[in-house]
């Protein structure tokens, strides 16, 4: 039996936390990207900027990387990639160009000049 130190965390605890937070980040990324997809399908005549498209692609790539790292037991890299995924997904969802269209009624989007 190995004596326990009164301070610090054990390696298995650190591994568990990295896995758990990575999975939570990946789930949140999925939820955010699905919400973005639903939102965009309900807004008529919306233009998706290159920046938003790049962020979505970066999020999806980071999800794949994170999953691969986690499956290989490379928890730190997997967690870092999962953080990138959620950051990119949220940046795409909350892009200012999309937010402006959400609060602008359809009947006010068109005008006759």
């Amino acid at each position: 039996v190995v004596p326990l130190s009164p301070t610090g965390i054990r390696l298995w605890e650190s591994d568990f936390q990295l896995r758990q937070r990575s999975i939570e980040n990946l789930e949140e990324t999925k939820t955010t990207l699905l919400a973005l997809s639903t939102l965009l399908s309900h807004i008529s005549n919306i233009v998706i900027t290159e920046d938003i498209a790049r962020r979505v692609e970066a999020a999806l790539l980071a999800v794949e990387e994170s999953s691969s790292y986690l499956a290989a037991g490379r928890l730190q890299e997997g967690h870092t990639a999962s953080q990138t995924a959620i950051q990119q997904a949220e940046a795409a969802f909350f892009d200012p160009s999309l937010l402006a269209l959400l609060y602008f009624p359809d009947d006010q989007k068109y005008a006759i000049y």
Side-chain angles (χ1 to χ4, degrees):
V1 175
V2 177
L4 300 176
S5 66
T7 59
I9 62 172
R10 292 164 193 83
L11 182 58
W12 71 267
E13 291 173 313
S14 173
D15 288 354
F16 174 80
Q17 289 298 320
L18 285 172
R19 281 186 195 276
Q20 188 67 27
R21 286 301 301 148
S22 297
I23 291 168
E24 289 173 7
N25 288 343
L26 294 175
E27 289 289 328
E28 186 64 28
T29 299
K30 176 183 172 185
T31 301
T32 301
L33 291 176
L34 286 173
L36 178 61
S37 175
T38 301
L39 176 70
L40 296 178
S41 69
H42 286 97
I43 298 177
S44 60
N45 300 326
I46 191 163
V47 176
I48 307 301
T49 64
E50 283 293 319
D51 187 47
I52 294 171
R54 273 194 302 273
R55 290 179 188 274
V56 169
E57 288 175 0
L60 293 172
L61 179 62
V63 166
E64 289 177 12
E65 288 177 352
S66 178
S67 297
S68 295
Y69 285 139
L70 293 173
R74 297 170 58 185
L75 302 181
Q76 188 62 49
E77 293 97 333
H79 182 255
T80 301
S82 75
Q83 288 177 315
T84 300
I86 188 64
Q87 290 167 355
Q88 292 297 317
E90 288 184 350
F93 187 84
F94 291 109
D95 189 89
S97 68
L98 294 178
L99 292 177
L101 295 174
L102 290 178
Y103 301 109
F104 214 91
D106 281 338
D107 60 342
Q108 294 180 12
K109 290 179 186 175
Y110 310 103
I112 300 173
Y113 291 97

